Amino acid sequence: MYELPNESHLKELIGQEVNLVSVGPYDAQIAFEKGVVIQSLHKLEGEVNGIKSLWFDGEWVSTKDVIHVPKKEVTDIRNENQLVLKITLTGGVALYIHTEVSQYESINITRSDGTLEVI
């Protein structure tokens, strides 16, 4: 929907573990231990041990590496550019959550208090 806001509002995720990766027919959701959920509706890439691959692009391309994400701890979170949020995890794993400039939402962030941020 829009370019990414400053990632500093997600720094609270550093040190938290990923509890769950949900695979839906039209989205991916990453749930963190203190209740924040990031829903990717546009595009999700994953990197495992230096190998980056497309996991989701409007539909699931591959789920084979999703198993490497749960129980990993967030070590860094930053905007790789104006349209890609990179979440670095322990164990050589990273997630790249993409947005796009369009009329449709690309990312929903649900906070532990229930508030919703739509990007």
Side-chain angles (χ1 to χ4, degrees):
M1 183 181 234
Y2 302 110
E3 293 179 351
L4 291 168
N6 184 310
E7 75 275 1
S8 64
H9 73 289
L10 292 172
K11 293 290 184 189
E12 70 184 81
L13 295 177
I14 293 176
Q16 291 188 40
E17 283 187 352
V18 175
N19 279 350
L20 178 70
V21 177
S22 299
V23 177
Y26 308 109
D27 69 338
Q29 294 185 26
I30 300 105
F32 298 88
E33 70 178 288
K34 293 186 179 175
V36 173
V37 177
I38 299 177
Q39 179 186 27
S40 174
L41 299 159
H42 174 55
K43 184 175 176 182
L44 173 67
E45 293 176 298
E47 183 176 348
V48 178
N49 297 322
I51 300 171
K52 189 174 178 182
S53 59
L54 179 63
W55 292 0
F56 177 80
D57 191 1
E59 63 183 17
W60 279 93
V61 176
S62 174
T63 59
K64 73 178 185 70
D65 288 324
V66 170
I67 194 157
H68 297 284
V69 178
K71 299 294 285 174
K72 298 295 191 273
E73 185 177 304
V74 177
T75 60
D76 191 33
I77 188 161
R78 68 181 63 242
N79 292 348
E80 183 146 277
N81 59 49
Q82 294 175 329
L83 299 175
V84 180
L85 176 68
K86 179 181 181 184
I87 302 173
T88 305
L89 306 171
T90 54
V93 178
L95 301 171
Y96 299 83
I97 302 170
H98 295 248
T99 187
E100 63 179 344
V101 177
S102 76
Q103 64 186 10
Y104 302 106
E105 62 204 57
S106 300
I107 301 170
N108 291 327
I109 301 170
T110 305
R111 303 284 180 174
S112 54
D113 65 2
T115 59
L116 176 67
E117 179 180 358
V118 177
I119 302 171

